[in-house]
């Protein structure tokens, strides 16, 4: 492992946790909207609390970009799950309540599971940038899963809808990480050429789509539901892309499966816990929020 990449990734995780807690609090104060409804994004742009939450978000993205410069996707992205430890108690502190026990268990399962998998799998770097067919394959596969999640979320409610939107958002953010890694490499090699490269424009579009979808996810259910999905799906998707497109390597098989299989099952259990907790808006015993505007 690259120590600098580890330190930078942990710093990014802390920033993302603070940003998520602040933005979710602001998003819950708006009326629910349909997915990708631009009115929600425009209203949030007028909220100081939401804009303040973007400061740690941007800082985290910069730290993440530098970390990806010195470490593989299969290392940096999973380390971002450490931010979940901070985001859940931060949300509870902002709401002046204790964290829900189910949320704590869900987060712990996901963090321990993915952390154990990362340690045992020992990720190692691959190529600097995928081929164009690999890029197209990544886009097609990710797009298919996102469309499926959005279709299912349209009829779901409360924490389940937040989880489905969180899964889609996590895939968007994994796309941001992949494009960010490729763009950062080009930026260090030739800054002027990188500013006109397609990676930059794709990064802007995918990043904007992720931010807009993220706000819809934050409006549905407690923070643990979408945040667990986002923070888990992002690194898992990044690992898959890192292995298949960037040819990064993981140690899987043999006795390692005795740890890796239970780790994956723990992550699945954590997502299920977060997505099925009763209560719609963040505390114990709350009622679900209103349906999105028609």
């Amino acid at each position: 492992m690259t120590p600098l990449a580890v330190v930078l990734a942990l710093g990014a995780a802390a920033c993302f946790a603070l940003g998520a807690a602040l933005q979710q609090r602001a998003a819950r104060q708006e009326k629910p909207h349909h997915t990708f409804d631009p009115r929600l994004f425009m209203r949030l742009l007028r909220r100081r609390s939401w804009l303040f939450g973007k400061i740690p978000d941007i800082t985290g993205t910069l730290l993440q970009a530098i970390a990806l410069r010195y470490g593989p996707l299969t290392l940096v992205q999973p380390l971002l799950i450490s931010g979940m430890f901070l985001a859940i108690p931060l949300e509870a502190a902002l709401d002046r309540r204790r964290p829900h026990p189910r949320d704590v268990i869900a987060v712990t399962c996901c963090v321990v599971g993915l952390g154990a998998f990362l340690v045992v799998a020992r990720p190692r770097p691959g190529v600097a940038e995928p081929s164009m067919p690999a890029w197209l394959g990544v886009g097609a596969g990710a797009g298919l899963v996102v469309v499926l999640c959005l279709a299912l979320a349209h009829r779901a409610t409360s924490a389940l809808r937040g989880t489905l939107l969180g899964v889609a958002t996590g895939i968007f953010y994994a796309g941001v990480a992949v494009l960010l890694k490729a763009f950062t490499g080009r930026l260090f090699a030739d800054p002027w050429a990188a500013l006109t490269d397609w990676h930059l424009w794709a990064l802007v579009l995918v990043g904007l789509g992720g931010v807009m979808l993220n706000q819809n996810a934050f409006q549905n259910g407690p923070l643990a539901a979408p945040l667990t999905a986002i923070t888990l799906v992002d690194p898992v998707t990044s690992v898959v892309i890192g292995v298949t497109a960037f040819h990064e390597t993981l140690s899987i098989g043999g006795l390692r499966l005795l740890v890796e299989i239970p780790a994956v099952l723990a992550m699945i259990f954590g997502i299920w816990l977060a997505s099925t907790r009763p209560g719609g808006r963040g505390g114990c015993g709350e009622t679900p929020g209103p349906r999105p505007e028609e």
Side-chain angles (χ1 to χ4, degrees):
M1 293 187 181
T2 305
L4 179 59
V6 171
V7 172
L8 291 170
L10 292 175
C15 291
F16 287 143
L18 177 58
L22 293 172
Q23 291 175 64
Q24 194 251 8
R25 184 174 177 81
R28 286 188 306 169
Q29 295 172 357
E30 294 289 344
K31 294 180 180 179
H33 291 72
H34 282 301
T35 305
F36 285 124
D37 189 334
R39 291 177 297 176
L40 173 60
F41 187 63
M42 297 305 296
R43 288 177 179 175
L44 289 173
L45 285 175
R46 295 195 293 268
R47 281 191 176 272
R48 292 182 181 179
S49 57
W50 187 86
L51 292 173
F52 183 74
K54 295 306 294 181
I55 296 176
D57 235 14
I58 294 172
T59 304
T61 301
L62 293 175
L63 293 175
Q64 179 190 17
I66 302 173
L68 288 169
R69 169 65 178 169
Y70 295 103
L73 281 164
T74 47
L75 170 65
V76 173
Q77 292 305 106
L79 284 173
L80 296 181
I81 65 171
S82 59
M84 292 179 66
F85 276 127
L86 296 174
I88 301 302
L90 277 173
E91 180 212 16
L94 291 172
D95 289 341
R96 298 180 179 179
R97 60 175 177 81
R98 293 181 179 180
H100 195 288
R102 193 182 181 102
D103 292 344
V104 174
I105 295 173
V107 169
T108 302
C109 287
C110 291
V111 170
V112 172
L114 192 49
F117 182 88
L118 177 63
V119 171
V120 174
R122 296 171 53 198
R124 293 175 293 279
V127 299
E129 184 179 338
S131 62
M132 184 54 68
W135 278 120
L136 294 176
V138 167
L144 181 62
V145 177
V146 167
V147 170
L148 179 61
C149 287
L150 296 183
L152 293 174
H154 183 67
R155 295 185 177 277
T157 58
S158 190
L160 178 57
R161 186 171 192 266
T163 299
L164 289 168
L165 293 177
V167 170
T169 303
I171 293 175
F172 265 90
Y173 284 164
V176 169
V178 171
L179 291 166
L180 192 60
K181 181 174 179 62
F183 173 72
T184 303
R186 288 174 173 260
L187 187 64
F188 275 85
D190 189 347
W192 294 112
L195 295 177
T196 59
D197 190 79
W198 70 268
H199 294 87
L200 175 59
W201 306 112
L203 179 61
V204 171
L205 290 176
V206 174
L208 182 60
V211 169
M212 293 179 64
L213 185 58
N214 197 0
Q215 307 317 307
N216 285 110
F218 280 166
Q219 281 200 316
N220 292 271
L223 179 59
L227 184 62
T228 300
I230 293 169
T231 315
L232 183 60
V233 170
D234 180 352
V236 168
T237 304
S238 298
V239 166
V240 172
I241 296 174
V243 170
T244 58
F246 283 81
H247 302 291
E248 298 175 358
T249 55
L250 295 170
S251 299
I252 298 177
L255 293 177
R256 296 178 186 274
L257 290 176
L258 296 177
V259 176
E260 292 167 347
I261 292 177
V264 172
L265 293 177
M267 291 184 280
I268 294 173
F269 179 67
I271 284 186
W272 176 80
L273 276 180
S275 65
T276 56
R277 171 159 85 80
R281 289 268 177 175
C284 301
E286 293 130 329
T287 56
R291 294 293 294 165
E293 292 178 348
E294 299 295 339

